[in-house]
């Protein structure tokens, strides 16, 4: 089980590489520019990871996307949840 942390936009090469590396028991956390995935609910990773993908709420708020995420019922975490999530996984991979 791996926690994948994506920092780049969903159409980036880092996102493509991450998508190819995700295992069925892995979790994805979208931070920084990756939270723009809230604008595209058809992004393949939403279907691939379903209940195992989260957006960092602070980054959503700073980009004005918190309302869009809430309207689409996308799973979010605050910073404390981010820390708790990293504690659950022995391995994390950050995609830049």
């Amino acid at each position: 089980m791996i926690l994948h942390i994506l920092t780049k936009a969903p159409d980036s090469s880092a996102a493509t590489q991450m998508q190819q590396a995700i295992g069925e028991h892995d979790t994805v956390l979208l931070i920084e520019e990756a939270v723009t995935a809230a604008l595209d609910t058809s992004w393949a990773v939403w279907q691939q990871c379903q209940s195992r993908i989260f957006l960092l709420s602070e980054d959503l708020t700073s980009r004005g996307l918190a309302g869009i995420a809430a309207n689409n019922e996308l799973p979010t975490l605050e910073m404390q949840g981010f820390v708790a999530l990293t504690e659950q996984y022995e391995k994390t991979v950050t995609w830049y």
Side-chain angles (χ1 to χ4, degrees), residues 20-96:
Q20 295 168 352
I22 297 170
E24 67 177 82
H25 298 290
D26 295 349
T27 296
V28 174
L29 177 61
L30 305 176
I31 65 170
E32 299 174 8
E33 282 300 307
V35 299
T36 61
L39 297 170
D40 182 10
T41 56
S42 66
W43 183 42
V45 177
W46 288 118
Q47 286 74 42
Q48 183 180 2
C49 295
Q50 295 180 2
S51 64
R52 300 174 290 118
I53 184 169
F54 301 93
L55 298 109
L56 188 62
S57 59
E58 287 86 349
D59 287 335
L60 285 166
T61 300
S62 70
R63 287 165 177 77
L65 300 174
I68 292 170
N71 290 340
N72 288 308
E73 299 180 356
L74 301 175
T76 62
L77 289 175
E78 293 183 359
M79 192 55 71
Q80 281 185 309
F82 182 177
V83 172
L85 196 59
T86 62
E87 292 172 344
Q88 294 176 18
Y89 290 84
E90 290 183 27
K91 183 175 182 182
T92 62
V93 177
T94 302
W95 300 89
Y96 295 98

